[in-house]
C-alpha cells in the first residue's frame, strides 16, 4: 500500500477487520517488521488521538517515530507554487517534502481544509504534494477532505458491537460554535457505505456533503425521521459544502443536539463521535456518559486502525 486516503486503498474491508482483530489480540506480533524503519508524522494542525495512537501503532511495529509540528519550531512553509517569497514564509514545501522524505520510510500527514478555496481543499493539494514529491508511502492523519484512520476505527468499532448483519447507521449533523471541515463526515459516510451498512445522513438544508462521499447513502433533512430504528448514531458537526456557502456556518440549531429524547427514537442505538466533542452542543452529558456511548472504545481503536495501515505499508516496502 503506497497511500492511504480511502477504503479502496485498504481493499477488502472484511479482511482488514479480521487483521485488525488479530492485531488487537496480539498487538506486538509484528514488532520485527518495523525494525530500523522510521515513521515521520507531520502535523499542520493540532491533535490528541491521532498523535498518540499513530505513534503507539508505530511503536507496536518496532518503528522509530519522528513527530514534526510544522507551526511550532519548523520554518514557516509556503505551499503555493509561483509566489515571490518575500513574506514570513522561509521555506517552500517543494524543498521541504523531499528533505523530510530523506529522513524516513513512511510519512503521515495532518493538514486540514483551510476554507480559502474549495477547489484547493477538494484537490487535497497538500497531501498530494507529499505523495508526489516525498518518494515515500504517505497516509492521511486527517487531510483536507478525509480522515480514513478515524473511519477505519469507526468501522472496526461497529463490527465489534453490531447485533444485526446490516445495521442502520445514522450520521447526524449537530451544532458547533466554529466552522469545521467535512473530512470526518465525508470519510464516515464513504466507509459505512463501503462496509455495506444501511447509511442515512441527516443534516439541515444547506449542509449536504459532497455526493462523491455520500453516494449509496440516504440523505435527509429530518433528523427525527432518520433516527427511527437506528442501531448506531454518529454525531458530527461540519460546515457547509455547497457553493456559495463553502466553509460557512449556516445554523447553530440546538434542536439537532443529540439528547436522550433523540436517542429514544432509535432501536437502542449506540452513540459515536470521533472526539474531541463539545458537550451541550453536539451531545448531552447524559448520552455521552451513558451505557450506549462508544466514544472511548472508538478512540482506542485508533491504535488498531493505524497499526493495520502502517503494517500494510511496511509489508509493501519489503516487496
Ligand atoms: N478524532 C481525532 O482525530 O482526534 P484528534 O484531532 O485529537 O487527533
Amino acid at each position: 500500500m503506497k497511500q492511504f486516503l480511502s477504503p479502496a486503498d485498504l481493499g477488502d474491508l472484511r479482511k482488514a477487520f479480521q487483521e485488525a482483530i488479530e492485531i488487537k489480540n496480539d498487538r506486538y506480533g509484528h514488532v520485527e517488521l518495523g525494525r530500523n524503519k522510521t515513521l515521520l508524522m507531520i502535523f499542520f494542525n493540532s491533535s490528541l488521538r491521532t498523535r498518540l495512537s499513530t505513534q503507539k501503532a508505530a511503536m507496536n511495529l518496532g518503528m522509530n517515530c519522528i513527530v514534526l509540528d510544522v507551526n511550532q519550531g519548523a520554518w514557516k512553509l509556503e505551499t503555493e507554487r509561483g509566489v515571490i517569497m518575500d513574506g514570513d514564509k522561509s521555506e517552500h514545501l517543494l524543498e521541504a517534502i523531499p528533505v523530510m522524505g530523506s529522513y524516513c520510510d513512511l510519512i503521515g500527514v495532518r493538514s486540514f481544509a483551510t476554507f480559502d478555496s474549495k477547489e484547493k481543499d477538494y484537490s487535497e493539494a497538500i497531501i498530494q504534494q507529499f505523495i508526489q514529491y516525498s518518494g515515500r508511502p504517505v497516509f492521511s492523519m486527517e487531510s483536507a477532505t478525509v480522515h480514513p484512520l478515524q473511519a477505519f476505527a469507526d468501522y472496526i468499532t461497529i463490527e465489534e458491537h453490531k447485533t444485526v448483519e446490516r445495521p442502520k447507521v445514522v450520521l447526524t449533523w449537530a451544532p458547533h460554535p466554529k466552522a469545521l471541515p467535512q473530512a470526518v463526515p465525508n470519510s464516515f459516510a464513504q466507509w459505512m457505505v463501503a462496509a455495506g451498512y444501511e447509511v442515512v445522513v441527516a443534516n439541515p438544508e444547506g449542509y449536504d456533503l459532497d455526493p462523491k462521499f455520500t453516494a449509496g447513502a440516504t440523505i435527509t433533512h429530518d433528523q427525527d425521521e432518520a433516527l427511527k430504528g437506528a442501531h448506531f448514531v454518529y454525531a458530527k458537526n461540519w460546515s457547509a459544502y455547497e457553493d456559495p456557502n463553502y466553509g460557512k456556518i449556516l445554523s447553530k440549531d440546538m434542536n439537532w443536539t443529540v439528547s436522550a429524547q433523540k436517542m429514544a427514537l432509535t432501536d437502542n442505538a449506540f452513540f459515536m463521535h470521533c472526539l474531541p466533542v463539545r458537550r451541550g452542543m453536539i451531545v448531552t452529558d447524559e448520552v455521552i456518559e451513558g451505557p450506549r456511548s462508544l466514544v472511548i472504545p472508538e478512540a482506542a481503536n485508533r491504535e488498531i486502525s493505524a497499526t493495520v495501515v502502517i503494517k500494510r505499508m511496511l509489508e509493501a516496502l519489503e516487496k
Side-chain angles (χ1 to χ4, degrees):
M1 192 164 60
K2 292 276 174 55
Q3 64 175 52
F4 179 63
L5 293 165
S6 76
D9 295 323
L10 213 50
D12 185 330
L13 287 188
R14 290 294 311 170
K15 277 192 186 153
F17 173 67
Q18 280 155 15
E19 197 172 329
I21 295 306
E22 283 164 22
I23 282 170
K24 201 162 182 174
N25 291 332
D26 181 14
R27 56 192 78 195
Y28 305 108
H30 303 276
V31 72
E32 290 302 319
L33 190 60
R35 182 192 283 274
N36 295 332
K37 296 279 191 302
T38 300
L39 169 66
L40 175 58
M41 299 166 62
I42 300 162
F43 288 92
F44 288 83
N45 309 93
S46 303
S47 166
L48 187 153
R49 278 143 293 272
T50 304
R51 176 185 299 262
L52 298 180
S53 62
T54 311
Q55 206 164 340
K56 177 63 165 58
M59 287 156 58
N60 292 348
L61 295 162
M63 296 187 81
N64 302 308
C65 199
I66 306 173
V67 182
L68 177 67
D69 288 295
V70 172
N71 298 320
Q72 289 172 18
W75 300 112
K76 209 163 183 186
L77 293 175
E78 177 59 64
T79 59
E80 296 294 327
R81 208 160 186 202
V83 295
I84 295 169
M85 290 171 58
D86 59 354
D88 63 341
K89 293 175 180 165
S90 306
E91 178 155 26
H92 202 288
L93 204 56
L94 290 175
E95 283 80 56
I97 290 174
V99 169
M100 291 190 262
S102 73
Y103 303 141
C104 65
D105 300 280
L106 306 180
I107 298 180
V109 179
R110 167 160 286 202
S111 173
F112 290 173
T114 60
F115 299 137
D116 294 336
S117 154
K118 179 173 172 177
E119 192 186 8
K120 185 179 169 199
D121 288 341
Y122 272 74
S123 69
E124 287 283 7
I126 302 294
I127 198 165
Q128 286 300 339
Q129 289 186 71
F130 276 91
I131 290 169
Q132 195 172 349
Y133 300 116
S134 71
R136 302 294 177 215
V138 174
F139 60 91
S140 168
M141 299 195 299
E142 187 173 343
S143 44
T145 66
V146 291
H147 196 357
L149 286 173
Q150 180 66 52
F152 184 19
D154 298 334
Y155 166 64
I156 294 166
T157 309
I158 291 175
E159 282 295 300
E160 288 178 318
H161 288 86
K162 73 180 188 183
T163 53
V164 295
E165 182 55 31
R166 187 170 183 260
K168 179 177 179 182
V169 177
V170 176
L171 166 63
T172 180
W173 180 94
H176 194 281
K178 290 184 167 178
L180 298 186
Q182 297 103 29
V184 169
N186 281 345
S187 281
F188 185 77
Q190 183 185 39
W191 282 69
M192 296 306 109
V193 170
Y197 303 150
E198 179 188 352
V199 184
V200 179
V201 183
N203 54 260
E205 288 192 31
Y207 277 99
D208 287 3
L209 293 163
D210 182 348
K212 182 176 94 178
F213 293 102
T214 56
T218 301
I219 316 298
T220 176
H221 302 139
D222 184 337
Q223 189 193 45
D224 287 358
E225 194 58 36
L227 292 173
K228 285 180 190 164
H231 300 106
F232 294 87
V233 174
Y234 196 99
K236 185 71 183 83
N237 174 268
W238 61 89
S239 59
Y241 165 75
E242 294 171 337
D243 291 325
N245 294 316
Y246 176 68
K248 294 202 172 99
I249 295 174
L250 307 179
S251 168
K252 291 183 186 170
D253 185 351
M254 301 291 275
N255 289 317
W256 284 74
T257 300
V258 178
S259 61
Q261 290 77 11
K262 294 281 185 178
M263 292 300 284
L265 297 170
T266 71
D267 186 1
N268 195 24
F270 287 105
F271 173 80
M272 299 178 73
H273 187 280
C274 62
L275 304 182
V277 70
R278 300 262 184 161
R279 288 178 177 222
M281 296 284 302
I282 301 280
V283 61
T284 62
D285 291 344
E286 189 182 5
V287 170
I288 197 167
E289 292 174 14
R292 303 297 281 177
S293 173
L294 291 179
V295 296
I296 305 304
E298 181 185 357
N301 275 335
R302 290 292 307 276
E303 176 188 341
I304 307 304
S305 65
T307 307
V308 173
V309 168
I310 295 170
K311 173 176 169 282
R312 295 258 185 119
M313 287 190 157
L314 289 171
E315 286 167 345
L317 285 180
E318 293 190 339
K319 285 178 186 158

